[in-house]
Amino acid sequence: MTDRLTKICAIYAVYFCLMLGSKSQAADGFNRDDCTWNGIPLFGRVQVVESFADIKVEIVTSFPDLRVKTVESFPDKCGRWEFVESFPDFKIQYVNSFPDVKVEFVESFPGWP
């Protein structure tokens, strides 16, 4: 009886840990599977604005949420941004505190750290 009870407790413990992990990932808004933040893709055509941004971005040099590579065309993969003046996929605002996403600009290997 105790072996069966131990197995059941272990299964519930694993399930509980998995639920905590999934809620913490969902709580910060990031979805690494499709490279989005709160449903906004973190790749594509980006416009920098002073207000009414979709995402508030802080530029960092260490511990980023996302590594970003600036491209001139084909911003179709995670972390590849093409900066435009019109018809963006999403708009960003640069901030120094309380960002939604912390980014590090890189020359290679964009995407999740």
Side-chain angles (χ1 to χ4, degrees):
M1 182 72 173
T2 59
D3 287 335
R4 184 174 181 200
L5 185 59
T6 303
K7 288 179 184 178
I8 290 172
C9 289
I11 290 171
Y12 279 115
V14 169
Y15 177 75
F16 182 71
C17 289
L18 289 174
M19 291 303 294
L20 282 178
S22 67
K23 286 186 180 191
S24 66
Q25 183 177 4
D28 64 8
F30 292 104
N31 186 338
R32 293 177 181 261
D33 295 334
D34 60 358
C35 192
T36 61
W37 178 84
N38 284 345
I40 300 169
L42 294 173
F43 57 90
R45 298 168 48 90
V46 181
Q47 182 179 8
V48 179
V49 296
E50 295 295 321
S51 58
F52 303 109
D54 298 317
I55 303 173
K56 293 181 181 176
V57 172
E58 180 180 3
I59 300 171
V60 297
T61 56
S62 58
F63 304 109
D65 297 321
L66 181 71
R67 291 188 307 258
V68 173
K69 179 179 180 182
T70 303
V71 296
E72 297 295 321
S73 58
F74 303 110
D76 54 358
K77 293 183 181 171
C78 189
R80 294 180 188 238
W81 290 5
E82 178 183 357
F83 286 95
V84 296
E85 294 296 320
S86 58
F87 304 110
D89 295 324
F90 62 97
K91 298 174 185 175
I92 64 169
Q93 176 183 356
Y94 291 121
V95 296
N96 293 322
S97 57
F98 305 109
D100 297 321
V101 179
K102 294 179 183 178
V103 302
E104 176 183 11
F105 285 99
V106 296
E107 293 297 320
S108 57
F109 305 110
W112 304 112

